Amino acid sequence: GAVVSQHPSWVICKSGTSVKIECRSLDFQATTMFWYRQFPKQSLMLMATSNEGSKATYEQGVEKDKFLINHASLTLSTLTVTSAHPEDSSFYICSASQQGKWIYQPQHFGDGTRLSIL
Amino acid sequence: AQKITQTQPGMFVQEKEAVTLDCTYDTSDPSYGLFWYKQPSSGEMIFLIYQGSYDQQNATEGRYSLNFQKARKSANLVISASQLGDSAMYFCAMREGRGNQFYFGTGTSLTVIP
């Protein structure tokens, strides 16, 4: 149980393109999902917390207009990288926790999306 | 101050030997959870083991065990009988009772040598 699906796995596109990444919890409901960015050989950097039915909470330094997050249902959150540029190239990974006692619940991660902007 | 500290950027271990990956944490919240994740080169984050702040016994999951020393605020991961497939990045993480954010360490790259 507790499977999180993330699509696409790889994206290669031209500069100026907008890219949408989907994150789905397949067998549980997730009121909160998290979006991370990871550079090679570094740790995960939290970008934003996605809340179902409300606006996402962005971490300091993350551009809200560049990284649009929508959490339309209890099983789906999307991250759209708008007008992507080469510096947006990175590994993006989402996660979700099952509802319940927060401290006991691990975050379950999608497999990540490798984004390359040419 | 860093919430999670992993001081070993890289570790090597001989196949079939045990290895300990260090993790210290910092929190004033009496309720917290500690987690270890494995990230192979393919990128996915695999949940390995969990320890709650009120748990009296160290957590174990197969070849993984967590050496929880609350007074020292350490939560070291012990991998017994290392296998080649254990080569990966390992991240220690914490969630505090008062929030839902996970705090991750910088990770330790483990290489298992045949």
Side-chain angles (χ1 to χ4, degrees):
Chain A
V3 177
V4 175
S5 174
Q6 185 173 342
H7 292 283
S9 300
W10 291 83
V11 179
I12 301 174
C13 58
K14 294 182 179 180
S15 183
T17 306
S18 292
V19 179
K20 179 184 281 189
I21 303 170
E22 290 190 351
C23 181
R24 293 181 183 272
S25 56
L26 296 186
D27 52 1
F28 67 99
Q29 294 183 330
T31 53
T32 303
M33 291 185 175
F34 303 88
W35 288 96
Y36 296 88
R37 182 173 181 175
Q38 187 180 30
F39 293 102
K41 300 188 185 300
Q42 294 189 22
S43 188
L44 281 72
M45 180 184 73
L46 180 65
M47 298 175 64
T49 301
S50 170
N51 303 297
E52 186 266 338
S54 64
K55 291 183 179 180
T57 304
Y58 289 83
E59 295 301 301
Q60 190 173 5
V62 177
E63 298 178 58
K64 300 177 183 180
D65 296 333
K66 161 68 77 174
F67 300 101
L68 299 179
I69 291 173
N70 183 271
H71 196 148
S73 75
L74 286 172
T75 59
L76 174 63
S77 176
T78 60
L79 168 67
T80 302
V81 184
T82 61
S83 187
H85 292 285
E87 58 267 27
D88 299 323
S89 298
S90 191
F91 184 65
Y92 295 87
I93 191 165
C94 69
S95 73
S97 290
Q98 293 174 285
Q99 293 177 320
K101 294 183 179 180
W102 282 112
I103 60 172
Y104 304 122
Q105 296 293 342
Q107 287 193 10
H108 301 284
F109 287 83
D111 287 345
T113 298
R114 297 191 187 278
L115 176 62
S116 294
I117 308 298
L118 305 177
Chain B
Q2 292 289 330
K3 289 281 188 180
I4 294 288
T5 302
Q6 294 180 256
T7 57
Q8 305 156 315
M11 290 282 286
F12 292 87
V13 63
Q14 203 77 37
E15 193 178 5
K16 299 180 184 178
E17 296 293 314
V19 63
T20 298
L21 306 184
D22 295 342
C23 173
T24 57
Y25 59 93
D26 182 32
T27 182
S28 58
D29 194 328
S31 296
Y32 52 89
L34 298 160
F35 305 82
W36 276 93
Y37 286 85
K38 172 185 177 181
Q39 187 179 40
S41 57
S42 50
E44 70 270 28
M45 292 284 285
I46 302 167
F47 165 64
L48 296 177
I49 196 167
Y50 161 83
Q51 180 84 42
S53 60
Y54 296 117
D55 292 343
Q56 296 296 313
Q57 293 187 327
N58 288 343
T60 59
E61 287 288 346
R63 294 187 299 111
Y64 304 109
S65 60
L66 203 153
N67 185 0
F68 181 45
Q69 298 189 41
K70 197 170 183 177
R72 293 187 176 185
K73 292 190 174 180
S74 72
N76 299 338
L77 176 69
V78 180
I79 305 174
S80 62
S82 297
Q83 302 172 356
L84 295 179
D86 293 335
S87 294
M89 282 290 289
Y90 289 80
F91 291 98
C92 180
M94 177 177 67
R95 167 179 265 163
E96 295 172 318
R98 59 188 166 212
N100 60 13
Q101 182 178 342
F102 261 51
Y103 299 96
F104 285 91
T106 51
T108 296
S109 176
L110 177 66
T111 302
V112 180
I113 304 168

PDB file of all heavy atoms in Angstrom, chain A residues 6-37:
ATOM      1  N   GLN A   6       4.151   9.232 -10.022  1.00  0.00           N
ATOM      2  CA  GLN A   6       4.565  10.535 -10.542  1.00  0.00           C
ATOM      3  C   GLN A   6       4.871  10.406 -12.034  1.00  0.00           C
ATOM      4  O   GLN A   6       5.588   9.496 -12.450  1.00  0.00           O
ATOM      5  CB  GLN A   6       5.797  11.040  -9.801  1.00  0.00           C
ATOM      6  CG  GLN A   6       6.235  12.435 -10.196  1.00  0.00           C
ATOM      7  CD  GLN A   6       7.364  12.975  -9.315  1.00  0.00           C
ATOM      8  OE1 GLN A   6       7.611  12.468  -8.226  1.00  0.00           O
ATOM      9  NE2 GLN A   6       8.054  14.002  -9.796  1.00  0.00           N
ATOM     10  N   HIS A   7       4.313  11.333 -12.800  1.00  0.00           N
ATOM     11  CA  HIS A   7       4.519  11.317 -14.251  1.00  0.00           C
ATOM     12  C   HIS A   7       4.710  12.730 -14.784  1.00  0.00           C
ATOM     13  O   HIS A   7       4.091  13.663 -14.269  1.00  0.00           O
ATOM     14  CB  HIS A   7       3.298  10.700 -14.952  1.00  0.00           C
ATOM     15  CG  HIS A   7       3.131   9.257 -14.691  1.00  0.00           C
ATOM     16  ND1 HIS A   7       3.889   8.294 -15.309  1.00  0.00           N
ATOM     17  CD2 HIS A   7       2.317   8.605 -13.848  1.00  0.00           C
ATOM     18  CE1 HIS A   7       3.518   7.108 -14.860  1.00  0.00           C
ATOM     19  NE2 HIS A   7       2.570   7.275 -13.970  1.00  0.00           N
ATOM     20  N   PRO A   8       5.547  12.914 -15.790  1.00  0.00           N
ATOM     21  CA  PRO A   8       6.350  11.872 -16.444  1.00  0.00           C
ATOM     22  C   PRO A   8       7.639  11.602 -15.676  1.00  0.00           C
ATOM     23  O   PRO A   8       7.982  12.331 -14.758  1.00  0.00           O
ATOM     24  CB  PRO A   8       6.651  12.508 -17.801  1.00  0.00           C
ATOM     25  CG  PRO A   8       6.694  13.972 -17.512  1.00  0.00           C
ATOM     26  CD  PRO A   8       5.685  14.237 -16.422  1.00  0.00           C
ATOM     27  N   SER A   9       8.356  10.568 -16.066  1.00  0.00           N
ATOM     28  CA  SER A   9       9.632  10.252 -15.427  1.00  0.00           C
ATOM     29  C   SER A   9      10.751  11.135 -15.996  1.00  0.00           C
ATOM     30  O   SER A   9      11.687  11.488 -15.276  1.00  0.00           O
ATOM     31  CB  SER A   9       9.987   8.782 -15.656  1.00  0.00           C
ATOM     32  OG  SER A   9       9.001   7.932 -15.116  1.00  0.00           O
ATOM     33  N   TRP A  10      10.666  11.403 -17.297  1.00  0.00           N
ATOM     34  CA  TRP A  10      11.677  12.209 -17.970  1.00  0.00           C
ATOM     35  C   TRP A  10      10.989  13.243 -18.851  1.00  0.00           C
ATOM     36  O   TRP A  10       9.992  12.950 -19.488  1.00  0.00           O
ATOM     37  CB  TRP A  10      12.551  11.331 -18.886  1.00  0.00           C
ATOM     38  CG  TRP A  10      13.458  10.387 -18.196  1.00  0.00           C
ATOM     39  CD1 TRP A  10      13.159   9.161 -17.716  1.00  0.00           C
ATOM     40  CD2 TRP A  10      14.844  10.589 -17.945  1.00  0.00           C
ATOM     41  NE1 TRP A  10      14.278   8.566 -17.171  1.00  0.00           N
ATOM     42  CE2 TRP A  10      15.335   9.435 -17.306  1.00  0.00           C
ATOM     43  CE3 TRP A  10      15.738  11.634 -18.202  1.00  0.00           C
ATOM     44  CZ2 TRP A  10      16.664   9.289 -16.904  1.00  0.00           C
ATOM     45  CZ3 TRP A  10      17.059  11.487 -17.813  1.00  0.00           C
ATOM     46  CH2 TRP A  10      17.506  10.329 -17.172  1.00  0.00           C
ATOM     47  N   VAL A  11      11.533  14.420 -18.865  1.00  0.00           N
ATOM     48  CA  VAL A  11      11.047  15.442 -19.783  1.00  0.00           C
ATOM     49  C   VAL A  11      12.246  16.184 -20.354  1.00  0.00           C
ATOM     50  O   VAL A  11      13.101  16.668 -19.597  1.00  0.00           O
ATOM     51  CB  VAL A  11      10.115  16.453 -19.093  1.00  0.00           C
ATOM     52  CG1 VAL A  11       9.650  17.502 -20.096  1.00  0.00           C
ATOM     53  CG2 VAL A  11       8.922  15.772 -18.462  1.00  0.00           C
ATOM     54  N   ILE A  12      12.279  16.260 -21.675  1.00  0.00           N
ATOM     55  CA  ILE A  12      13.283  17.085 -22.348  1.00  0.00           C
ATOM     56  C   ILE A  12      12.526  18.035 -23.254  1.00  0.00           C
ATOM     57  O   ILE A  12      11.730  17.600 -24.092  1.00  0.00           O
ATOM     58  CB  ILE A  12      14.257  16.232 -23.184  1.00  0.00           C
ATOM     59  CG1 ILE A  12      14.968  15.209 -22.292  1.00  0.00           C
ATOM     60  CG2 ILE A  12      15.284  17.132 -23.873  1.00  0.00           C
ATOM     61  CD1 ILE A  12      15.838  14.233 -23.072  1.00  0.00           C
ATOM     62  N   CYS A  13      12.717  19.320 -23.051  1.00  0.00           N
ATOM     63  CA  CYS A  13      11.966  20.266 -23.867  1.00  0.00           C
ATOM     64  C   CYS A  13      12.761  21.555 -24.082  1.00  0.00           C
ATOM     65  O   CYS A  13      13.804  21.770 -23.457  1.00  0.00           O
ATOM     66  CB  CYS A  13      10.605  20.571 -23.238  1.00  0.00           C
ATOM     67  SG  CYS A  13      10.718  21.232 -21.584  1.00  0.00           S
ATOM     68  N   LYS A  14      12.249  22.363 -24.961  1.00  0.00           N
ATOM     69  CA  LYS A  14      12.933  23.599 -25.322  1.00  0.00           C
ATOM     70  C   LYS A  14      12.672  24.695 -24.302  1.00  0.00           C
ATOM     71  O   LYS A  14      11.636  24.696 -23.616  1.00  0.00           O
ATOM     72  CB  LYS A  14      12.461  24.072 -26.704  1.00  0.00           C
ATOM     73  CG  LYS A  14      12.843  23.154 -27.852  1.00  0.00           C
ATOM     74  CD  LYS A  14      12.362  23.733 -29.169  1.00  0.00           C
ATOM     75  CE  LYS A  14      12.753  22.840 -30.337  1.00  0.00           C
ATOM     76  NZ  LYS A  14      12.283  23.396 -31.633  1.00  0.00           N
ATOM     77  N   SER A  15      13.578  25.611 -24.222  1.00  0.00           N
ATOM     78  CA  SER A  15      13.438  26.754 -23.330  1.00  0.00           C
ATOM     79  C   SER A  15      12.188  27.537 -23.692  1.00  0.00           C
ATOM     80  O   SER A  15      11.873  27.728 -24.871  1.00  0.00           O
ATOM     81  CB  SER A  15      14.677  27.636 -23.460  1.00  0.00           C
ATOM     82  OG  SER A  15      14.615  28.716 -22.565  1.00  0.00           O
ATOM     83  N   GLY A  16      11.442  27.947 -22.676  1.00  0.00           N
ATOM     84  CA  GLY A  16      10.214  28.697 -22.882  1.00  0.00           C
ATOM     85  C   GLY A  16       8.962  27.843 -22.799  1.00  0.00           C
ATOM     86  O   GLY A  16       7.849  28.369 -22.695  1.00  0.00           O
ATOM     87  N   THR A  17       9.139  26.548 -22.798  1.00  0.00           N
ATOM     88  CA  THR A  17       8.007  25.619 -22.701  1.00  0.00           C
ATOM     89  C   THR A  17       7.547  25.509 -21.257  1.00  0.00           C
ATOM     90  O   THR A  17       8.342  25.629 -20.327  1.00  0.00           O
ATOM     91  CB  THR A  17       8.427  24.227 -23.201  1.00  0.00           C
ATOM     92  OG1 THR A  17       8.971  24.329 -24.506  1.00  0.00           O
ATOM     93  CG2 THR A  17       7.249  23.271 -23.214  1.00  0.00           C
ATOM     94  N   SER A  18       6.258  25.283 -21.076  1.00  0.00           N
ATOM     95  CA  SER A  18       5.724  24.980 -19.745  1.00  0.00           C
ATOM     96  C   SER A  18       5.570  23.475 -19.604  1.00  0.00           C
ATOM     97  O   SER A  18       5.126  22.800 -20.539  1.00  0.00           O
ATOM     98  CB  SER A  18       4.384  25.674 -19.530  1.00  0.00           C
ATOM     99  OG  SER A  18       4.550  27.071 -19.454  1.00  0.00           O
ATOM    100  N   VAL A  19       5.924  22.975 -18.463  1.00  0.00           N
ATOM    101  CA  VAL A  19       5.923  21.527 -18.220  1.00  0.00           C
ATOM    102  C   VAL A  19       5.070  21.213 -17.004  1.00  0.00           C
ATOM    103  O   VAL A  19       5.237  21.832 -15.948  1.00  0.00           O
ATOM    104  CB  VAL A  19       7.363  21.016 -17.973  1.00  0.00           C
ATOM    105  CG1 VAL A  19       7.355  19.524 -17.686  1.00  0.00           C
ATOM    106  CG2 VAL A  19       8.249  21.335 -19.172  1.00  0.00           C
ATOM    107  N   LYS A  20       4.175  20.245 -17.150  1.00  0.00           N
ATOM    108  CA  LYS A  20       3.317  19.851 -16.030  1.00  0.00           C
ATOM    109  C   LYS A  20       3.730  18.476 -15.529  1.00  0.00           C
ATOM    110  O   LYS A  20       3.884  17.533 -16.314  1.00  0.00           O
ATOM    111  CB  LYS A  20       1.846  19.811 -16.445  1.00  0.00           C
ATOM    112  CG  LYS A  20       0.917  19.389 -15.296  1.00  0.00           C
ATOM    113  CD  LYS A  20      -0.526  19.246 -15.738  1.00  0.00           C
ATOM    114  CE  LYS A  20      -1.200  20.571 -15.843  1.00  0.00           C
ATOM    115  NZ  LYS A  20      -2.669  20.428 -16.076  1.00  0.00           N
ATOM    116  N   ILE A  21       3.891  18.360 -14.220  1.00  0.00           N
ATOM    117  CA  ILE A  21       4.232  17.095 -13.579  1.00  0.00           C
ATOM    118  C   ILE A  21       3.088  16.700 -12.652  1.00  0.00           C
ATOM    119  O   ILE A  21       2.614  17.524 -11.861  1.00  0.00           O
ATOM    120  CB  ILE A  21       5.536  17.227 -12.766  1.00  0.00           C
ATOM    121  CG1 ILE A  21       6.691  17.702 -13.663  1.00  0.00           C
ATOM    122  CG2 ILE A  21       5.887  15.898 -12.094  1.00  0.00           C
ATOM    123  CD1 ILE A  21       7.944  18.093 -12.897  1.00  0.00           C
ATOM    124  N   GLU A  22       2.651  15.455 -12.762  1.00  0.00           N
ATOM    125  CA  GLU A  22       1.541  14.983 -11.952  1.00  0.00           C
ATOM    126  C   GLU A  22       2.015  14.065 -10.835  1.00  0.00           C
ATOM    127  O   GLU A  22       2.919  13.261 -11.021  1.00  0.00           O
ATOM    128  CB  GLU A  22       0.539  14.216 -12.815  1.00  0.00           C
ATOM    129  CG  GLU A  22      -0.246  15.073 -13.773  1.00  0.00           C
ATOM    130  CD  GLU A  22      -1.377  14.298 -14.423  1.00  0.00           C
ATOM    131  OE1 GLU A  22      -1.430  13.056 -14.258  1.00  0.00           O
ATOM    132  OE2 GLU A  22      -2.216  14.929 -15.098  1.00  0.00           O
ATOM    133  N   CYS A  23       1.356  14.175  -9.706  1.00  0.00           N
ATOM    134  CA  CYS A  23       1.654  13.339  -8.551  1.00  0.00           C
ATOM    135  C   CYS A  23       0.339  12.788  -8.017  1.00  0.00           C
ATOM    136  O   CYS A  23      -0.551  13.562  -7.648  1.00  0.00           O
ATOM    137  CB  CYS A  23       2.356  14.172  -7.477  1.00  0.00           C
ATOM    138  SG  CYS A  23       2.821  13.262  -5.993  1.00  0.00           S
ATOM    139  N   ARG A  24       0.201  11.470  -8.026  1.00  0.00           N
ATOM    140  CA  ARG A  24      -1.049  10.836  -7.613  1.00  0.00           C
ATOM    141  C   ARG A  24      -0.805   9.849  -6.478  1.00  0.00           C
ATOM    142  O   ARG A  24       0.136   9.050  -6.533  1.00  0.00           O
ATOM    143  CB  ARG A  24      -1.677  10.067  -8.768  1.00  0.00           C
ATOM    144  CG  ARG A  24      -2.167  10.911  -9.910  1.00  0.00           C
ATOM    145  CD  ARG A  24      -2.803  10.063 -11.006  1.00  0.00           C
ATOM    146  NE  ARG A  24      -3.213  10.882 -12.144  1.00  0.00           N
ATOM    147  CZ  ARG A  24      -4.376  11.479 -12.251  1.00  0.00           C
ATOM    148  NH1 ARG A  24      -5.278  11.330 -11.297  1.00  0.00           N
ATOM    149  NH2 ARG A  24      -4.655  12.207 -13.316  1.00  0.00           N
ATOM    150  N   SER A  25      -1.645   9.900  -5.483  1.00  0.00           N
ATOM    151  CA  SER A  25      -1.640   8.856  -4.457  1.00  0.00           C
ATOM    152  C   SER A  25      -2.648   7.807  -4.934  1.00  0.00           C
ATOM    153  O   SER A  25      -3.813   8.091  -5.124  1.00  0.00           O
ATOM    154  CB  SER A  25      -2.035   9.436  -3.095  1.00  0.00           C
ATOM    155  OG  SER A  25      -3.285  10.091  -3.145  1.00  0.00           O
ATOM    156  N   LEU A  26      -2.178   6.597  -5.154  1.00  0.00           N
ATOM    157  CA  LEU A  26      -2.996   5.587  -5.828  1.00  0.00           C
ATOM    158  C   LEU A  26      -3.935   4.836  -4.900  1.00  0.00           C
ATOM    159  O   LEU A  26      -5.015   4.426  -5.312  1.00  0.00           O
ATOM    160  CB  LEU A  26      -2.081   4.586  -6.552  1.00  0.00           C
ATOM    161  CG  LEU A  26      -1.227   5.151  -7.680  1.00  0.00           C
ATOM    162  CD1 LEU A  26      -0.490   4.042  -8.398  1.00  0.00           C
ATOM    163  CD2 LEU A  26      -2.056   5.977  -8.654  1.00  0.00           C
ATOM    164  N   ASP A  27      -3.541   4.637  -3.670  1.00  0.00           N
ATOM    165  CA  ASP A  27      -4.360   3.802  -2.795  1.00  0.00           C
ATOM    166  C   ASP A  27      -4.629   4.447  -1.446  1.00  0.00           C
ATOM    167  O   ASP A  27      -4.994   3.766  -0.482  1.00  0.00           O
ATOM    168  CB  ASP A  27      -3.699   2.436  -2.605  1.00  0.00           C
ATOM    169  CG  ASP A  27      -2.245   2.548  -2.172  1.00  0.00           C
ATOM    170  OD1 ASP A  27      -1.756   3.693  -2.002  1.00  0.00           O
ATOM    171  OD2 ASP A  27      -1.611   1.508  -1.998  1.00  0.00           O
ATOM    172  N   PHE A  28      -4.476   5.755  -1.383  1.00  0.00           N
ATOM    173  CA  PHE A  28      -4.831   6.456  -0.153  1.00  0.00           C
ATOM    174  C   PHE A  28      -5.119   7.916  -0.498  1.00  0.00           C
ATOM    175  O   PHE A  28      -4.751   8.402  -1.559  1.00  0.00           O
ATOM    176  CB  PHE A  28      -3.726   6.352   0.897  1.00  0.00           C
ATOM    177  CG  PHE A  28      -2.442   7.066   0.542  1.00  0.00           C
ATOM    178  CD1 PHE A  28      -2.160   8.328   1.042  1.00  0.00           C
ATOM    179  CD2 PHE A  28      -1.516   6.458  -0.298  1.00  0.00           C
ATOM    180  CE1 PHE A  28      -0.973   8.982   0.714  1.00  0.00           C
ATOM    181  CE2 PHE A  28      -0.328   7.094  -0.630  1.00  0.00           C
ATOM    182  CZ  PHE A  28      -0.052   8.365  -0.124  1.00  0.00           C
ATOM    183  N   GLN A  29      -5.779   8.580   0.419  1.00  0.00           N
ATOM    184  CA  GLN A  29      -6.080   9.988   0.225  1.00  0.00           C
ATOM    185  C   GLN A  29      -5.028  10.846   0.914  1.00  0.00           C
ATOM    186  O   GLN A  29      -4.605  10.534   2.030  1.00  0.00           O
ATOM    187  CB  GLN A  29      -7.476  10.307   0.776  1.00  0.00           C
ATOM    188  CG  GLN A  29      -8.586   9.625  -0.002  1.00  0.00           C
ATOM    189  CD  GLN A  29      -9.964  10.011   0.507  1.00  0.00           C
ATOM    190  OE1 GLN A  29     -10.135  10.311   1.677  1.00  0.00           O
ATOM    191  NE2 GLN A  29     -10.941  10.012  -0.379  1.00  0.00           N
ATOM    192  N   ALA A  30      -4.638  11.888   0.237  1.00  0.00           N
ATOM    193  CA  ALA A  30      -3.575  12.737   0.757  1.00  0.00           C
ATOM    194  C   ALA A  30      -4.042  14.192   0.762  1.00  0.00           C
ATOM    195  O   ALA A  30      -4.121  14.826  -0.285  1.00  0.00           O
ATOM    196  CB  ALA A  30      -2.317  12.599  -0.101  1.00  0.00           C
ATOM    197  N   THR A  31      -4.371  14.691   1.937  1.00  0.00           N
ATOM    198  CA  THR A  31      -4.762  16.093   2.020  1.00  0.00           C
ATOM    199  C   THR A  31      -3.573  17.012   1.787  1.00  0.00           C
ATOM    200  O   THR A  31      -3.732  18.153   1.407  1.00  0.00           O
ATOM    201  CB  THR A  31      -5.371  16.409   3.394  1.00  0.00           C
ATOM    202  OG1 THR A  31      -4.465  15.995   4.408  1.00  0.00           O
ATOM    203  CG2 THR A  31      -6.699  15.693   3.579  1.00  0.00           C
ATOM    204  N   THR A  32      -2.393  16.489   2.033  1.00  0.00           N
ATOM    205  CA  THR A  32      -1.184  17.284   1.846  1.00  0.00           C
ATOM    206  C   THR A  32      -0.168  16.517   1.019  1.00  0.00           C
ATOM    207  O   THR A  32       0.077  15.337   1.273  1.00  0.00           O
ATOM    208  CB  THR A  32      -0.548  17.652   3.200  1.00  0.00           C
ATOM    209  OG1 THR A  32      -1.512  18.345   3.999  1.00  0.00           O
ATOM    210  CG2 THR A  32       0.671  18.545   3.007  1.00  0.00           C
ATOM    211  N   MET A  33       0.392  17.170   0.048  1.00  0.00           N
ATOM    212  CA  MET A  33       1.488  16.614  -0.741  1.00  0.00           C
ATOM    213  C   MET A  33       2.629  17.622  -0.734  1.00  0.00           C
ATOM    214  O   MET A  33       2.403  18.822  -0.525  1.00  0.00           O
ATOM    215  CB  MET A  33       1.044  16.316  -2.176  1.00  0.00           C
ATOM    216  CG  MET A  33       0.057  15.170  -2.286  1.00  0.00           C
ATOM    217  SD  MET A  33      -0.314  14.788  -4.015  1.00  0.00           S
ATOM    218  CE  MET A  33      -1.340  13.337  -3.825  1.00  0.00           C
ATOM    219  N   PHE A  34       3.808  17.115  -0.956  1.00  0.00           N
ATOM    220  CA  PHE A  34       4.997  17.954  -0.910  1.00  0.00           C
ATOM    221  C   PHE A  34       5.751  17.850  -2.237  1.00  0.00           C
ATOM    222  O   PHE A  34       5.826  16.786  -2.838  1.00  0.00           O
ATOM    223  CB  PHE A  34       5.926  17.509   0.228  1.00  0.00           C
ATOM    224  CG  PHE A  34       5.270  17.506   1.587  1.00  0.00           C
ATOM    225  CD1 PHE A  34       4.598  16.390   2.040  1.00  0.00           C
ATOM    226  CD2 PHE A  34       5.334  18.631   2.396  1.00  0.00           C
ATOM    227  CE1 PHE A  34       3.984  16.380   3.283  1.00  0.00           C
ATOM    228  CE2 PHE A  34       4.725  18.630   3.645  1.00  0.00           C
ATOM    229  CZ  PHE A  34       4.051  17.502   4.090  1.00  0.00           C
ATOM    230  N   TRP A  35       6.312  18.967  -2.649  1.00  0.00           N
ATOM    231  CA  TRP A  35       7.139  18.989  -3.851  1.00  0.00           C
ATOM    232  C   TRP A  35       8.563  19.372  -3.480  1.00  0.00           C
ATOM    233  O   TRP A  35       8.795  20.361  -2.783  1.00  0.00           O
ATOM    234  CB  TRP A  35       6.575  19.980  -4.866  1.00  0.00           C
ATOM    235  CG  TRP A  35       5.317  19.494  -5.508  1.00  0.00           C
ATOM    236  CD1 TRP A  35       4.033  19.775  -5.151  1.00  0.00           C
ATOM    237  CD2 TRP A  35       5.227  18.612  -6.635  1.00  0.00           C
ATOM    238  NE1 TRP A  35       3.152  19.126  -5.968  1.00  0.00           N
ATOM    239  CE2 TRP A  35       3.864  18.401  -6.894  1.00  0.00           C
ATOM    240  CE3 TRP A  35       6.174  17.972  -7.448  1.00  0.00           C
ATOM    241  CZ2 TRP A  35       3.402  17.593  -7.937  1.00  0.00           C
ATOM    242  CZ3 TRP A  35       5.730  17.173  -8.482  1.00  0.00           C
ATOM    243  CH2 TRP A  35       4.354  16.985  -8.717  1.00  0.00           C
ATOM    244  N   TYR A  36       9.494  18.553  -3.968  1.00  0.00           N
ATOM    245  CA  TYR A  36      10.903  18.772  -3.689  1.00  0.00           C
ATOM    246  C   TYR A  36      11.672  18.933  -5.002  1.00  0.00           C
ATOM    247  O   TYR A  36      11.279  18.424  -6.051  1.00  0.00           O
ATOM    248  CB  TYR A  36      11.506  17.582  -2.935  1.00  0.00           C
ATOM    249  CG  TYR A  36      10.941  17.330  -1.559  1.00  0.00           C
ATOM    250  CD1 TYR A  36       9.817  16.532  -1.393  1.00  0.00           C
ATOM    251  CD2 TYR A  36      11.556  17.863  -0.425  1.00  0.00           C
ATOM    252  CE1 TYR A  36       9.307  16.273  -0.128  1.00  0.00           C
ATOM    253  CE2 TYR A  36      11.059  17.614   0.840  1.00  0.00           C
ATOM    254  CZ  TYR A  36       9.934  16.825   0.988  1.00  0.00           C
ATOM    255  OH  TYR A  36       9.445  16.578   2.250  1.00  0.00           O
ATOM    256  N   ARG A  37      12.807  19.592  -4.866  1.00  0.00           N
ATOM    257  CA  ARG A  37      13.745  19.692  -5.977  1.00  0.00           C
ATOM    258  C   ARG A  37      15.081  19.142  -5.460  1.00  0.00           C
ATOM    259  O   ARG A  37      15.456  19.397  -4.299  1.00  0.00           O
ATOM    260  CB  ARG A  37      13.900  21.145  -6.418  1.00  0.00           C
ATOM    261  CG  ARG A  37      14.818  21.350  -7.598  1.00  0.00           C
ATOM    262  CD  ARG A  37      14.755  22.810  -8.039  1.00  0.00           C
ATOM    263  NE  ARG A  37      15.618  23.029  -9.206  1.00  0.00           N
ATOM    264  CZ  ARG A  37      15.698  24.176  -9.861  1.00  0.00           C
ATOM    265  NH1 ARG A  37      14.981  25.233  -9.487  1.00  0.00           N
ATOM    266  NH2 ARG A  37      16.497  24.285 -10.902  1.00  0.00           N
TER     267      ARG A  37
END
